[in-house]
Amino acid sequence: MLSIFILIGAYRYYAQLAGKFGKIKWHFGLLAIGIYLGSQIVLGMSYGVYKGLTDPAALEDVNYTGFSLVNMIGWVISIAAVWGIYQLLEKKFQKEHLQKPSIEIEKIGEVSESQQS
């Protein structure tokens, strides 16, 4: 249940970033969901392999829905991954925004039709 709230928050967080820089919001929202779920899958698989190698009998007693220390650490690491990639995207978009000439600068030399007549 907590993962659903994290996914909704990540989606909105990335959609706001996309809207701020004039990008397609839902593309970046889905990117956030993919980053979160991908990191959860990688962490889960890593932990499963670790448990399988160190204590194979413990794999039969795995609780997938409870609040365990491993789940909480996974949530924190996944949120950190979403936040870190957000920071990278924000810096990239700011650099792109600075390199583009502003619309107002482009319109300085233009003469409107009402001024010509």
Side-chain angles (χ1 to χ4, degrees), residues 77-97:
I77 291 172
S78 295
I79 291 170
V82 168
W83 181 79
I85 294 175
Y86 177 91
Q87 294 298 317
L88 292 173
L89 285 173
E90 186 176 32
K91 287 179 185 177
K92 178 185 175 213
F93 292 159
Q94 286 174 348
K95 285 181 185 178
E96 287 177 1
H97 185 68

Side-chain angles (χ1 to χ4, degrees), residues 13 26 31 37 39-40 44 46 48 51 70 74 77 79 82 87 112:
Y13 195 52
W26 66 272
L31 175 65
L37 292 177
S39 62
Q40 284 286 302
S46 303
K51 282 301 259 188
V70 175
I77 291 172
I79 291 170
V82 168
Q87 294 298 317
S112 66

Side-chain angles (χ1 to χ4, degrees), residues 37-57:
L37 292 177
S39 62
Q40 284 286 302
I41 290 170
V42 168
L43 290 169
M45 298 281 286
S46 303
Y47 181 69
V49 169
Y50 168 75
K51 282 301 259 188
L53 293 174
T54 58
D55 187 15

Side-chain angles (χ1 to χ4, degrees), residues 63-84:
N63 180 8
Y64 295 105
T65 59
F67 284 94
S68 67
L69 180 62
V70 175
N71 286 344
M72 288 186 240
I73 290 171
W75 291 329
V76 170
I77 291 172
S78 295
I79 291 170
V82 168
W83 181 79

